[in-house]
Amino acid sequence: MLPYQFIERPSPFVASDPKALTVYAVTPAELETGVLSKVDETWARAAGFKAEAGSFLLLQGDGATLKGAVFGLGKNPEEAPFACGKLARLLTAGVWRLEAPSLDPQQAALGFGLGGYSFDTYKTGKTPEAFLALAESVDRAALERTLQAVFLARDLVNTPTNDMGPERLGEVFHAIGTHYGATVKAVVGDDLLAQNFPLIHTVGRASAEAPRLLEMRWGRKGAKKVTLVGKGVCFDTGGLDIKPAASMLLMKKDMGGAANVQALACMIMGAELDLDLRVLVPAVENSISANAFRPGDIYRSRKGISVQIDNTDAEGRLILADALAYADEETPDLMIDMATLTGAARVALGPDLPPFFTDDEALASALGSASLEEADPIWRLPLFKGYEKDIRSRAADITNAPSGGMAGAITAALFLKRFVSNAESWVHFDIFAWSPTEKPHGPVGGEAQAIRALFRHISALG
């Protein structure tokens, strides 16, 4: 089955092509060992090419013809595992084959594919594309699944809220389910109250688009139960505790958790893993109107825990609370939630290293190993019980916004943990879902985070 695509793009990969030009990806040491022909080596030296990281040189053939290219990996290529992504933007249009003695062919091909991504839905005109002829050792099906999943997460985050509100996000969710033969349903608007999802309704009720809880089921009953929960705040004004203008500029990405769990679900379903998969996305817009929820309000959650609202800009944990409680009722073997939840996580680890929280030591170890194997960085932060006192409230069971401003990522994770009691294993990812700088494997914009590491671990379950 071909992977689901939100925005259709041609594959950057082709089968082996005898007419393909060769691009040599080399380290400085390899440049000295005869990887290039004598003629090409002489040309490279004359042009000052030293195989420094990211350096690039076209190789001239007879006359004015193009013979190939050479690309520098630097002394330590393991420090930039997806450096070949830059080639997707450097190579001229046509078909190329990669010669890279020090690189894993699968990883190098993925880097090339990721680097060719662009979000040009709202632009006119497109640039010619370079295509990569794959080595026989590359698993093309797995490569395409991963690539399209990452593109899906990027596309959903990059699409502005006027075209990606709760309703549209629900339509994409349904399209994914239809593509893979999953069962999809949605609880919308006041039905959230009737079916006991009060916090999701509270956060989303001020928007012109009704809040909703999206649910997808796929796989074999009796198999390992894996449940994915993603924060789907399609835009976050901050509510009555309104954000300053500068802080609102990227708030279309506040549904990055939802985008990433949908991408991960596509990888799982596309690989036909033997699992009982469930995906939950509470989709809302945190807006301001006469019926917006207020600081000081107290609401009872689906689980029965009462929550005092001390800041309407801490809304993501509220919608996740109801969704996690609902997911937990079926006692999944593994429950994963992903959310663009706190600025504190960015202060602690920056935009490119998402923290995760779990009290399952075996799971934490397995995820750490998967992260290294996939070159998909994640880092464990503690569910430090000493901070549980900070989420207590005088008037309710807990507060959604502890005072003091310290350890915000940890206290947010501890808040969510209160709504998980039955799941065999639970892990919370506080992701940024955005790349603020251009990288070899992608431009500035929406980003998939942790899903390759998670897929590697989940693959071992089914």
Side-chain angles (χ1 to χ4, degrees), residues 4 15 33 55 85 93 95-96 132 139 154 156 159 182 192 213 224 242 299 354 371 394 418 447:
Y4 172 81
T33 60
S55 57
V95 179
W96 293 79
L132 184 67
D139 183 342
R154 290 176 176 179
L156 293 180
T159 302
L192 290 165
L213 177 65
K224 286 275 189 180
I242 192 168
Y299 298 94
S371 167
R394 290 176 181 170
R418 292 289 296 269
E447 188 57 284

Side-chain angles (χ1 to χ4, degrees), residues 160-240:
T161 308
N162 57 304
D163 285 333
M164 192 53 68
E167 184 175 344
R168 180 64 175 131
L169 186 61
E171 291 171 355
V172 175
F173 191 88
H174 190 275
I176 291 170
T178 299
H179 183 85
Y180 291 104
T183 300
V184 177
K185 70 175 185 178
V187 183
V188 182
D190 288 343
D191 285 345
L192 290 165
L193 293 176
Q195 298 188 38
N196 194 22
F197 298 103
L199 294 181
I200 298 174
H201 183 272
T202 293
V203 173
R205 70 192 184 198
S207 173
E209 290 192 21
R212 61 205 64 213
L213 177 65
L214 310 172
E215 181 173 4
M216 182 186 303
R217 291 178 181 269
W218 174 92
R220 181 176 66 85
K221 295 299 177 185
K224 286 275 189 180
K225 292 181 181 179
V226 174
T227 300
L228 312 178
V229 182
K231 173 188 169 185
V233 178
C234 294
F235 193 85
D236 181 19
T237 65
L240 293 177

Side-chain angles (χ1 to χ4, degrees), residues 122 129 154 211 226 249 321 399 420 426 450 457:
Y122 300 88
E129 294 179 314
R154 290 176 176 179
V226 174
L249 290 175
T399 172
V420 180
W426 165 70
H457 172 69

Side-chain angles (χ1 to χ4, degrees), residues 337-352:
D337 81 73
M338 306 187 80
T340 51
L341 205 60
T342 69
R346 312 290 81 77
V347 172
L349 299 179
D352 302 329

